[in-house]
Amino acid sequence: MNPSVLAAEAGDTTARTLTITLFLIFVAITLAITVWASRQTKTATDFYAGGRSFSGFQNGMAIGGDYMSAASFLGIAGLIALYGYDGFLYSIGFLVAWLVALLLVAELLRNSGKYTMADVLAFRMRQRPVRTAAAVSTITVSIFYLIAQMVGAGALVALLLGIRPGTTFLGMDADAAKVATIILVGALMIIYVTVGGMKGTTYVQIVKAFLLMSGAALMTVLVLAKFNFNLSSLLGAASDASGKGEAFLQPGLYYGKDVAGDATQTFYNKVDLFSLGIALVLGTAGLPHILIRFYTVPTARAARKSVLWAIGIIGTFYLFTLALGFGAAALVGGDAIREQNAAGNTAAPQLAEALGVDFLGGDTGGAVLLAVIAAVAFATILAVVAGLTLASSSSLAHDFYANVIKKGETSEKQEVNVARIAAFAIGAVSIVLALFAQSLNVAFLVALAFAVAASGNLPAILYSLFWKRFNTSGATWAIYGGLVAAVVLVFFSPVVSGTETSMFKNSDWQWFPLSNPGIISIPFGFLCGWIGTLLSKESDEQKYAELEVRSLTGAGAH
């Protein structure tokens, strides 16, 4: 046997042991936090909103933890590593979106709601139709988002355990290990939510935000040190290694491609880019798991402050993604990334391995840094899925069960138990769907969730807060109209069928040319809300005046 092969195998084993140990330590710590939090969770307010006891800074960290998902860390780094300039579009879009959230919804929502997004909508409408619509919408968006996180976890694990095509771990090949991981992540997230509620989930988010920022900062410093802190030599090395030369640093490699001799396809590509931009910028203000974070603080001032902290943390992190993406392009190379994961989801951990070999020496150094960064990425995934599951299960329990089925006549204890059962069901559905979506890029999957949120939730929230004439029929029309439009267009788009990278690559029922439906479905959601409102005579100006005073001043807020 060749000694170098033996040495490489020994290195692999060290990496594997270390990674699994670090990951288990993180899981143990977070489970301990969850159990501790469950002892503090006595009322429904504790379960849904963490007892409204978090400071602006804590909630800002937790929002950062909730928002910097596998899409941010794995997906964006991968897109920049493979497509250069175009990959950075996501970083910009995800960050700018916070200004919409800060200026239009954060403070108003905190003042006028109680536990979920539907509390604001139902304040001046008939309860049952609006809450049903909001619960459907929340669950749809959350499941889209959950699939993305699970796919990221599957991609990571194959790399972590060193399972390449043809090798096995505990008798599992790469595909079986991915399936096992997706199921494991699903099981863990169900435990976090059912046991810890919002308090446990928030502390897990805070720990994770700290870990992710530290890991990304460390890698950024190492990448820059490798190029003597000279940005232009980093970008130069990245564009040389990409094989695309200058084009790597220009727009147009991935989005808005010019197709020679095909004016129609070129036009569609440009529109798709615009569609993605709209979805990213407007989506955040309609994401249920972000909206419920505003309820965990005691005052509107703390809600504003937490958004400012979140913008600072998230903005810094997205600057780091530039160094991670271009660093991976320069030091790992596009071919090596594609070989491990065609969608590029493993670029950041592969970069960690390359930096470890350089700075810590030998394969063991690579193994150590890979293990640390991969454990951080896992932490990221677990924290985000917990937040999402909490948002959707609390909407099912609080909006649908307590207010629609039981018409408000239920005890807090029953409601919280239903939320726990719902967490199981939602976890199970997302596990099954994630198994089908493994070929897609994680940042791209999240962009779909953003489009669905911006099409269904955002029109209803904005109309409700700012339009006096808006009524129940308008709210249900806006939510269902935007939601159905977005989901149907995605189903008939190249994402699901008809191309090599589709979910079902061997089938073809695609007729909608764009990958992201935002440009059609978001205006359609607003239009439906407007038509639905005018078709109904219902109007309660007194209730609107009350909501306006409450949302602006916080008078009478919980």
Side-chain angles (χ1 to χ4, degrees), residues 267-401:
F267 172 71
Y268 285 149
N269 289 347
K270 307 277 187 217
V271 175
D272 209 0
L273 169 65
F274 190 58
S275 187
L276 174 70
I278 297 179
L280 293 182
V281 171
L282 297 178
T284 298
L287 288 177
H289 67 295
I290 297 293
L291 297 176
I292 63 169
R293 291 233 63 87
F294 297 133
Y295 297 129
T296 63
V297 289
T299 62
R301 181 160 178 254
R304 279 199 308 275
K305 209 166 163 187
S306 58
V307 176
L308 291 174
W309 271 112
I311 289 177
I313 292 166
I314 293 164
T316 312
F317 176 76
Y318 285 143
L319 284 175
F320 291 159
T321 58
L322 265 182
L324 301 182
F326 284 117
L331 300 173
V332 181
D335 294 340
I337 294 169
R338 280 195 181 88
E339 188 187 342
Q340 177 66 45
N341 183 285
N345 295 328
T346 53
Q350 283 174 284
L351 171 65
E353 193 167 19
L355 289 170
V357 171
D358 270 0
F359 285 93
L360 304 174
D363 286 344
T364 315
V368 171
L369 199 56
L370 169 65
V372 171
I373 297 303
V376 166
F378 255 118
T380 298
I381 290 168
L382 286 177
V384 174
V385 288
L388 283 159
T389 314
L390 183 70
S392 34
S393 58
S394 53
S395 176
L396 250 183
H398 179 66
D399 298 333
F400 192 69
Y401 174 77

Side-chain angles (χ1 to χ4, degrees), residues 120-463:
V120 178
L121 302 179
F123 185 79
R124 48 186 278 230
M125 321 275 179
R126 294 200 310 281
Q127 295 274 333
R128 295 177 73 181
V130 173
R131 284 192 185 273
T132 308
V136 169
S137 167
T138 299
I139 290 158
T140 310
V141 174
S142 298
I143 284 178
F144 263 100
Y145 217 115
L146 276 167
I147 295 170
Q149 310 307 318
M150 309 277 222
V151 168
L156 250 181
V157 126
L159 174 71
L160 266 185
L161 300 177
I163 307 175
R164 294 177 185 82
T167 59
T168 59
F169 172 73
L170 297 180
M172 294 185 290
D173 61 6
D175 291 336
K178 282 182 183 175
V179 171
T181 310
I182 288 175
I183 293 169
L184 172 75
V185 170
L188 274 171
M189 78 182 184
I190 292 169
I191 295 169
Y192 286 153
V193 174
T194 48
V195 178
M198 180 55 108
K199 256 198 181 136
T201 305
T202 302
Y203 281 116
V204 171
Q205 309 279 25
I206 293 171
V207 170
K208 177 231 120 157
F210 175 73
L211 285 175
L212 184 60
M213 289 300 283
S214 314
L218 170 69
M219 282 169 71
T220 302
V221 170
L222 292 180
V223 167
L224 292 174
K226 177 93 180 139
F227 293 95
N228 299 325
F229 294 92
N230 181 338
L231 263 183
S232 70
S233 55
L234 164 63
L235 296 177
S239 62
D240 293 345
S242 70
K244 313 234 173 41
E246 272 303 296
F248 193 67
L249 304 177
Q250 309 287 337
L253 265 186
Y254 191 56
Y255 296 112
K257 268 189 200 163
D258 289 316
V259 183
D262 190 345
T264 318
Q265 192 53 50
T266 302
F267 172 71
Y268 285 149
N269 289 347
K270 307 277 187 217
V271 175
D272 209 0
L273 169 65
F274 190 58
S275 187
L276 174 70
I278 297 179
L280 293 182
V281 171
L282 297 178
T284 298
L287 288 177
H289 67 295
I290 297 293
L291 297 176
I292 63 169
R293 291 233 63 87
F294 297 133
Y295 297 129
T296 63
V297 289
T299 62
R301 181 160 178 254
R304 279 199 308 275
K305 209 166 163 187
S306 58
V307 176
L308 291 174
W309 271 112
I311 289 177
I313 292 166
I314 293 164
T316 312
F317 176 76
Y318 285 143
L319 284 175
F320 291 159
T321 58
L322 265 182
L324 301 182
F326 284 117
L331 300 173
V332 181
D335 294 340
I337 294 169
R338 280 195 181 88
E339 188 187 342
Q340 177 66 45
N341 183 285
N345 295 328
T346 53
Q350 283 174 284
L351 171 65
E353 193 167 19
L355 289 170
V357 171
D358 270 0
F359 285 93
L360 304 174
D363 286 344
T364 315
V368 171
L369 199 56
L370 169 65
V372 171
I373 297 303
V376 166
F378 255 118
T380 298
I381 290 168
L382 286 177
V384 174
V385 288
L388 283 159
T389 314
L390 183 70
S392 34
S393 58
S394 53
S395 176
L396 250 183
H398 179 66
D399 298 333
F400 192 69
Y401 174 77
N403 287 299
V404 176
I405 297 176
K406 293 287 189 184
K407 301 181 188 163
E409 292 167 18
T410 170
S411 70
E412 285 196 342
K413 192 167 183 221
Q414 278 175 310
E415 198 179 307
V416 171
N417 285 341
V418 171
R420 292 187 163 132
I421 296 164
F424 267 96
I426 289 157
V429 171
S430 46
I431 288 171
V432 174
L433 287 173
L435 297 176
F436 285 103
Q438 292 182 45
S439 62
L440 300 173
N441 179 288
V442 216
F444 169 74
L445 280 167
V446 164
L448 292 182
F450 271 64
V452 175
S455 310
N457 297 347
L458 189 68
I461 292 171
L462 291 184
Y463 278 148

Side-chain angles (χ1 to χ4, degrees), residues 460-541:
I461 292 171
L462 291 184
Y463 278 148
S464 192
L465 290 169
F466 299 108
W467 187 23
K468 194 185 285 186
R469 171 88 171 74
F470 194 51
N471 53 32
T472 309
S473 136
T476 49
W477 272 57
I479 292 177
Y480 289 132
L483 196 64
V484 170
V487 173
V488 167
L489 291 178
V490 168
F491 184 74
F492 289 108
S493 76
V495 177
V496 175
S497 71
T499 67
E500 271 305 294
T501 51
S502 303
M503 278 173 83
F504 300 100
K505 50 179 152 233
N506 301 326
S507 315
D508 186 1
W509 56 77
Q510 168 228 337
W511 52 259
F512 181 65
L514 308 181
S515 296
N516 195 299
I519 195 164
I520 309 257
S521 59
I522 298 171
F524 187 73
F526 278 97
L527 179 69
C528 284
W530 180 70
I531 294 172
T533 302
L534 298 185
L535 288 178
S536 162
K537 296 215 164 35
E538 179 197 357
S539 172
D540 189 340
E541 296 203 356

